[in-house]
Amino acid sequence: AQSVTQPDIHITVSEGASLELRCNYSYGATPYLFWYVQSPGQGLQLLLKYFSGDTLVQGIKGFEAEFKRSQSSFNLRKPSVHWSDAAEYFCAASPNRDDKIIFGKGTRLHILP
Amino acid sequence: NAGVMQNPRHLVRRRGQEARLRCSPMKGHSHVYWYRQLPEEGLKFMVYLQKENIIDESGMPKERFSAEFPKEGPSILRIQQVVRGDSAAYFCASSPPRGSDTEAFFGQGTRLTVV
């Protein structure tokens, strides 16, 4: 069955430290991949997406993600986090651009001052 | 170009009442998706609609839930005889016709509380 797995429910990092959030997918073929961020009580904001091409994808707010076919992974990274990055992050996948998107359970990011 | 608009943002219903959630897609978008987010969980797909057609309703509960996307007007997610377990955030997303080079955009959600 198609699925998206985010193995870390909570992650805590210090402000200014680097960040990597893990995401693995299980699909028959390489899906379209997304990372969304959700602040408390808010909707979803798209950080970045991968459809094809360069496997290192740049997004908004200084985030990037790397698609690794051999590992079925699409990990999100940021070199230096800011307190405003505290939020919930969702990895998501879709078999094509306009099919339903399946979400992981999310990783809640906490930032230490 | 306004984004995906959902209303109301917050909705309180007593057990047994009906809840109607509305979603107006972005201009030019003909596809609408509904998702439900339970507390402390990710988003679960419910239904995918095009104008006047249900494309995929594999995530819809078998009873009390229905969705429509009429030729004119917003998409409606309807929950009849609500129960406490229906309390959740309901998100709508819209996307352009197939083949367009863009992804789905999400609304701010409707937070349903059943008391």
Side-chain angles (χ1 to χ4, degrees):
Chain A
Q2 299 169 340
S3 66
V4 175
T5 302
Q6 293 180 250
D8 303 305
I9 298 173
H10 293 272
I11 290 266
T12 301
V13 297
S14 298
E15 191 169 16
S18 64
L19 171 71
E20 183 168 27
L21 301 182
R22 296 183 290 165
C23 173
N24 294 95
Y25 63 87
S26 175
Y27 273 75
T30 299
Y32 293 94
L33 295 159
F34 311 87
W35 274 100
Y36 289 87
V37 61
Q38 184 182 33
S39 297
Q42 299 298 310
L44 292 155
Q45 183 179 23
L46 180 68
L47 287 174
L48 47 78
K49 63 193 178 196
Y50 173 76
F51 287 169
S52 64
D54 193 346
T55 57
L56 186 62
V57 180
Q58 300 298 320
I60 62 171
K61 304 185 178 189
F63 285 93
E64 66 178 25
E66 185 171 14
F67 167 64
K68 292 186 177 180
R69 186 191 306 274
S70 61
Q71 298 176 19
S72 297
S73 70
F74 188 56
N75 294 349
L76 182 71
R77 301 195 293 246
K78 187 169 183 178
S80 175
V81 297
H82 186 262
W83 64 268
S84 61
D85 293 325
E88 185 130 30
Y89 291 79
F90 292 98
C91 182
S94 174
N96 54 60
R97 281 196 189 103
D98 37 38
D99 206 331
K100 65 187 181 190
I101 299 173
I102 293 177
F103 286 82
K105 290 186 181 286
T107 297
R108 187 172 296 278
L109 176 63
H110 306 271
I111 306 293
L112 295 174
Chain B
N1 185 10
V4 178
M5 304 301 292
Q6 289 189 249
N7 66 82
R9 291 290 307 276
H10 299 274
L11 180 62
V12 179
R13 284 288 176 265
R14 295 186 186 280
R15 282 178 294 172
Q17 290 184 321
E18 178 181 286
R20 280 182 172 247
L21 288 62
R22 286 177 289 278
C23 170
S24 297
M26 288 179 70
K27 187 178 180 181
H29 285 193
S30 55
H31 298 198
V32 164
Y33 311 79
W34 284 95
Y35 289 81
R36 176 164 63 176
Q37 184 179 31
L38 293 168
E40 306 300 319
E41 292 194 16
L43 279 76
K44 293 283 198 279
F45 168 79
M46 299 181 76
V47 63
Y48 165 31
L49 310 106
Q50 293 179 18
K51 290 277 188 181
E52 300 184 283
N53 279 312
I54 295 175
I55 306 302
D56 181 346
E57 55 181 349
S58 57
M60 286 282 269
K62 293 288 185 283
E63 297 176 348
R64 302 187 297 108
F65 284 72
S66 62
E68 62 176 8
F69 188 18
K71 187 176 180 181
E72 301 291 338
S75 175
I76 306 287
L77 179 67
R78 183 180 176 209
I79 312 172
Q80 295 178 291
Q81 300 174 328
V82 296
V83 300
R84 288 253 171 89
D86 296 333
S87 295
Y90 292 83
F91 289 93
C92 165
S94 73
S95 67
R98 283 183 180 270
S100 302
D101 188 21
T102 186
E103 69 286 354
F105 291 85
F106 281 80
Q108 291 292 301
T110 293
R111 278 150 184 86
L112 171 66
T113 303
V114 179
V115 297

